[in-house]
Amino acid sequence: MAFLKRILRILFARAEAVFDWSFGQSNNPFSHLGALGWYFFWIVAASGIYLYLFFDTGITDAYASVEYITNDQWYAAGIMRSLHRYASDALVIVVFLHILREFSLDRLRGKRFFAWITGVPLLWFIYMCGITGYWLVWDSLAQYIAIATSEWLDTLPFFGEPIANNFLNSATLGGRFFTLMVFMHIFAPLLMLFLMWLHIQRHAHARVNPPRALAIGTAVTLVVLSLVYPAVSQGPANLDVVPASVNLDWYYLAVYPLLDVIPGGQRWLVLVVGSIILSLMPWLPPAKKIWTPVVSLQNCNGCGRCFDDCPFGAISMEPRSDGASFALEAVVDTDHCVSCGICTGSCPTATPFRRTSAIVPGIELPDYTVADLREKTMEAAQNFGDEARIIIYTCDHSGTEELRENGAQVITMPCVGMLPPAFIDFALSRDFADGVMLAGCAEGDCYYRLGDDWTNQRIDGKRDPYLRKRVDRDRLETSWLPTGSSRRRERDLQDFRTWLEGLPPKEPKRRRNRD
Ligand code: HEM
Ligand code: SF4
Ligand code: SF4
C-alpha cells in the first residue's frame, strides 16, 4: 500500500508541477479537486433545472423534446444540455483524481476516516445520477442502457415481474419504469447533495468553492466546448430493433461492456465487495496512535482562537470548570483531533519570550511542546557555519530534510501552522539567526488543510496572533511547495541566502519598541 502511495505521489507531483507552471500555484486545479467537485455539481444542477422546463417526461415525447432542446433552442437550452453533460463528465474526472490524490497523500487514515467512508456512497450516487440521465433521452443509447440495467436489476430477488419485460418490444413498452427513472434522476442528486454536505462535516472552513480565476476559466472552457462540440442524441429508441452500435460515455458507462462478461449475481458481489474494501482503506493498515493536545487551564483565558483555527472542528469552548474568572475554556475532542498542532500556533500564550519554567501555553501537543521548540531554536544557533544563518521551520510532509546539508538548521513539527509567530520574532530579535524560512506544503494544499493559510494570515497581520510589525520582513521567507519539490526548495533556500547576504548587517541592539 505504501509503495502504491509513493508511486502515485510521484506521478501527481510531476503533473502538479506542470499545472503550477501554467496556472500558478494558487489556481492549480489539483489543489482544488474537492471544491471543483462542488462547482461541477452546481453547474449540473442549474443546467438540469433549466432543461426540465422544456423536457417532456412521457416516454413517447421525451426524445422529441430533447431534439427540440438540442436543435430548435440550440442557443440556450442546447448549450445547457451540453453544459449538463460536460460538467457531469468533469465531475467524474475530478472525483476520481480527488480519490487517488487523497489516498496518495494519506489523508484518509485514523481519525480522518470520515470523509473517505462518506465518499464511498457518494460514488454510487454519482453513477446513479449519470445513468438515469442518459436513460431519459430515450435514444438508441438509452435503449441499450434501459435493457442492460433492467436485466441487471432483475438478478435481485425483489422484483416480482421482471423489469426487462417493459422493454421487450414497442407493444410492451411501459411508461411506468421510465417515470421512475425521471423521479430518480431528480431525487438522486438531492440525496447526493446531502452526502456531499455530510462528507465535509468534519472539516472546519471546508473549501467548497474553487478560486475565482479557476472557476471562471473552467466555466468558459465548458461553454466553448458546448458550442464547438454540442451534446447530441443517437437516433430515437426503437425496441423492435436491437441497436447495432452505440457510442458510450466512458466516464459513466464504462461498466456496461463489463456486464456482458461478468454473469448476473456476481456483478452485485463485485460491487458490494469493492465498496467494502474501499471503505476499509482508512484502516489498511491501522494508523499509529497519536498524542492529542493538552489544555492547561492555568494558561487558557478562553479567547477561542484555537477553536476558530482548528481545521477539523476538534475544539469546543465550554463553560469554565476551574472557577477562574474567564467565561470559557478550550476542550479537545480526541475522536476528531488529528494532532496537527495548529491550535498551539493560534494560542496567544504560546510564546518563547518567557523564562523556561513559565513556558506552558494554553494548549500544546505533549510530544511537541513549546518549551522543546524554544530549546531547538536556541540549539540551532550553536550549529551554524560561515554562511548566512538560516533557521527553517518546516513540517513532516514537505520533504525538507536534505536542506540540513545545505547549512541551514531545520526544525520540524507536524504542521508549520503549529509555529506561534512569536518564534520568528524570537529567532531574529535574539539574534539566533540571520533569517527565518517557513517551509510547508503547497499553498492551499496543506496536509492539515489550513496550516499555510493561517500562517500567511498571521504574518500579514490578518489573523491573531499576528507577527509583530517590528519583525524585519526582509529576513523572513516562506516556501510553500508540493512534496517532492526538493530542487525547487533548494533553489528557494539558495535565493534567500543570497538575498540575506546582500542585506546590511543586523543592528546589534534590541530596542524595546511597541508595535
Ligand atoms: C461528489 C463527490 C465529492 C465531492 C464534491 C468532494 C468534495 C470534497 C471537499 C470539498 C473536501 C474538503 C476539502 C477541504 O476543505 O480541505 C473533500 C475532502 C476529502 N474527500 Fe471528497 N469529495 C467527493 C467525493 C469523495 C470520494 C468518492 C472520496 C473517497 C472515496 C473522497 C475522499 C475525501 C477525503 C479523504 C478528503 C480529505 C479528508 C481530510 O482532509 O481529512 N471524496 N472532499
Ligand atoms: S491538534 Fe489540530 S486537530 Fe487537534 S485540536 Fe489542535 S488544531 Fe485541532
Ligand atoms: S487559544 Fe489558548 S488561550 Fe485561547 S482558548 Fe485556546 S487554549 Fe485557551
Side-chain angles (χ1 to χ4, degrees), residues 293 310-312 314-315 332 336-343 365:
C310 172
F312 298 91
I315 295 178
V332 178
H336 287 212
C337 171
V338 303
S339 303
C340 61
I342 289 175
C343 45
L365 292 169

Side-chain angles (χ1 to χ4, degrees), residues 146-194:
I147 294 168
T149 314
S150 44
E151 282 173 359
W152 184 16
L153 288 173
D154 282 337
T155 59
L156 290 172
F158 313 138
F159 306 101
E161 195 189 325
I163 306 167
N165 286 357
N166 283 294
F167 306 104
L168 287 179
N169 53 52
S170 305
T172 59
L173 178 60
R176 209 164 35 102
F177 205 59
F178 188 81
T179 314
L180 179 66
M181 284 303 122
V182 177
F183 174 72
M184 280 189 55
H185 192 62
I186 296 166
F187 193 60
L190 291 176
L191 278 176
M192 186 173 148
L193 184 59
F194 167 73

Side-chain angles (χ1 to χ4, degrees), residues 204-207 303-313 315 342-348 416-422 424 448-469 473 515:
H205 313 275
R207 294 173 214 253
C303 68
R305 286 179 195 160
C306 54
F307 164 78
D308 287 340
D309 282 5
C310 172
F312 298 91
I315 295 178
I342 289 175
C343 45
T344 304
S346 56
C347 184
V416 179
M418 174 182 154
L419 186 76
I424 303 168
Y448 288 115
R449 301 190 52 244
L450 302 171
D452 57 348
D453 270 7
W454 292 169
T455 304
N456 280 332
Q457 291 182 24
R458 289 169 191 162
I459 293 172
D460 294 343
K462 293 180 184 152
R463 192 172 197 90
D464 273 330
Y466 55 81
L467 181 64
R468 298 177 81 180
K469 283 194 196 128
R473 287 347 194 232
D515 286 343

